[in-house]
Amino acid sequence: MKKVILGVTASISAYKAIEILREFQKRGWAVKVVMTENSTNFVSPLTFRSLSGEDVITSQFRDLKSGLEHIELCENSEALLIAPATADVIAKFSCGIADDFLSSLYLACKKPVFLAPAMNEEMLLHPATQRNLKRLKEDGVFIIEPESGYLACKEEGEGRLAEPKRIVFNVISGLGKEMKRVKVLVTAGATREFIDDVRFISNSSSGKQGVAIAHEAALMGADVLLLLSASSCEKTFVKTERFDAVDELRKRLKGRDFDIFFMTAAVGDFKPVRRFKEKIKREGKLNIEFGMTHDILKEISQKKREHQVIVAFAAEARDFIERGKKKLLEKEADILFVNPVRSGVGFSAEENEGYLIFRDGRTKRIERASKEKVSKTIIKRVLEYYKGISGGGNVL
Ligand SMILES: Cc1cc2nc3c(=O)[nH]c(=O)nc-3n(C[C@H](O)[C@H](O)[C@H](O)COP(=O)(O)O)c2cc1C
């Protein structure tokens, strides 16, 4: 089981470290908690002891068994994460002060170190804190930037601890090795074609499957860019750009480099021949003429370089494999995932199922599961294919 050391310091947001611990556990990680003495004023070590199932170290001279824990702990863990990190601990780390257990542990740690600052805006923007953060970045520490929002001092501002899920995502993806240096491009969600200034034609794609694929690839260490539809409400933890109409998506895709491209977006086939001005009045009949949109996927497939892999997605009402094979050839893609148009799976649903179809005619059934689980299987198979054609390619 992979293990992370979670360092907790004396910020008002120390209680959020509980959620961070739980999030790691949900992902199958063990967590060893180390607290500064000051932080025990905010959360009791007993809480972390009970939830982690491990003793919590709060002092340089008490709580220790061998006395060498500051050296041994990191050797048996994947990473050291300080969340929340106070201005004080940031200053100590940047100067190499080791006057308590956590700062001694930091100096002795040869594993990746992640730090999530949390403090009031003035403290964060103070030249001293900025200088210390800059120095820590130069020393190779990964800084998980704080967010803007409502702070404990009852002010809106910068300095709020990054969301726990985002912190855990950043740590695991920062450590990901299987897809390190692989450039992954993902599109997700529905395109919208406006009829007038307020009405549009679209489809019910939520973007969930594409976002899950982008996240899964990032967790495996890939360099991910996600193009997500403006209409999608999905939260993302990877670099994300938004698009609306098919032409906008086409423009955003132009010239983008990738090793693996997942065209998960549900791109509309039709668009109004002309866009009406303002808002069409409710008067009599309305005839709208539709024309075809660009076949973006086919355009990209036709320019594909040797070691690139293109994965298409299709939703079909029946004859999945037959129709999927036909579409794979039409789009000139390498692999196609076809899922049924049926209630409970695919469009807007939490779950998915279907078939992965390969260029050489092989098919692989993917059983009904959450979209996250389906993504894991899709990525595993696509990665095998990518390694096969690129002779390992960029994969470690
Ligand atoms: C109620 C309260 C809330 C605090 N919140 C923060 C905070 O969010 N960020 C921070 O850098 N310091 C905060 N401080 C100041 C730190 O607790 C103080 O600098 C302390 O010495 C840090 O100890 P440590 O870095 O050893 O954990 C807070 C202090 C109090 C009394």
Side-chain angles (χ1 to χ4, degrees), residues 8-13 36-39 42 85-89 92 100 118-120 123:
V8 181
T9 67
S11 154
I12 192 73
S13 61
T36 60
E37 296 225 53
N38 289 334
S39 76
F42 291 86
T86 53
D88 173 62
V89 92
K92 285 206 302 199
D100 66 0
M119 63 201 70
N120 125 311
M123 290 175 88

Side-chain angles (χ1 to χ4, degrees), residues 251-311:
K251 239 188 243 162
R252 289 203 175 270
L253 282 168
K254 211 167 182 176
R256 296 277 187 192
D257 190 22
F258 63 85
D259 295 309
I260 308 176
F261 175 41
F262 293 92
M263 183 56 154
T264 325
V267 180
D269 293 317
F270 309 102
K271 65 174 184 182
V273 169
R274 75 178 183 97
R275 181 174 168 160
F276 290 80
K277 276 209 178 101
E278 298 172 349
K279 187 179 168 213
I280 305 166
K281 287 280 162 243
R282 186 185 151 89
E283 287 166 348
K285 267 194 195 161
L286 175 64
N287 286 312
I288 302 169
E289 193 186 341
F290 287 96
M292 299 292 285
T293 55
H294 283 282
D295 190 340
I296 303 178
L297 182 54
K298 193 162 178 174
E299 282 178 357
I300 294 177
S301 296
Q302 286 173 343
K303 288 192 199 132
K304 186 176 87 104
R305 293 198 312 274
E306 211 179 329
H307 296 315
Q308 291 181 316
V309 174
I310 295 185
V311 187

Side-chain angles (χ1 to χ4, degrees), residues 141-303:
V141 174
F142 297 91
I143 307 295
I144 303 171
E145 298 296 339
E147 296 172 356
S148 285
Y150 189 60
L151 299 169
C153 51
K154 300 189 176 53
E155 280 171 16
E156 285 282 328
E158 257 186 87
R160 193 166 72 166
L161 182 71
E163 190 195 335
K165 274 196 168 84
R166 188 180 295 280
I167 291 176
V168 175
F169 188 91
N170 271 271
V171 173
I172 298 181
S173 56
L175 297 172
K177 288 195 179 77
E178 303 97 312
M179 291 183 84
K180 203 139 194 122
R181 290 194 292 277
V182 179
K183 273 202 181 106
V184 171
L185 180 60
V186 185
T187 66
T191 53
R192 291 194 297 195
E193 302 298 330
F194 276 81
I195 295 165
D196 63 14
D197 284 357
V198 292
R199 301 177 179 100
F200 54 82
I201 175 169
S202 187
N203 58 65
S204 58
S205 168
S206 60
K208 268 193 181 76
Q209 186 65 75
V211 170
I213 285 177
H215 283 170
E216 195 50 42
L219 288 170
M220 291 169 81
D223 173 7
V224 178
L225 173 65
L226 170 67
L227 303 184
L228 181 62
S229 63
S231 58
S232 174
C233 300
E234 292 301 303
K235 185 180 257 183
T236 80
F237 296 135
V238 294
K239 207 190 311 158
T240 304
E241 292 179 13
R242 297 277 180 166
F243 64 86
D244 215 353
V246 176
D247 284 343
E248 198 186 337
L249 175 60
R250 186 168 174 247
K251 239 188 243 162
R252 289 203 175 270
L253 282 168
K254 211 167 182 176
R256 296 277 187 192
D257 190 22
F258 63 85
D259 295 309
I260 308 176
F261 175 41
F262 293 92
M263 183 56 154
T264 325
V267 180
D269 293 317
F270 309 102
K271 65 174 184 182
V273 169
R274 75 178 183 97
R275 181 174 168 160
F276 290 80
K277 276 209 178 101
E278 298 172 349
K279 187 179 168 213
I280 305 166
K281 287 280 162 243
R282 186 185 151 89
E283 287 166 348
K285 267 194 195 161
L286 175 64
N287 286 312
I288 302 169
E289 193 186 341
F290 287 96
M292 299 292 285
T293 55
H294 283 282
D295 190 340
I296 303 178
L297 182 54
K298 193 162 178 174
E299 282 178 357
I300 294 177
S301 296
Q302 286 173 343
K303 288 192 199 132

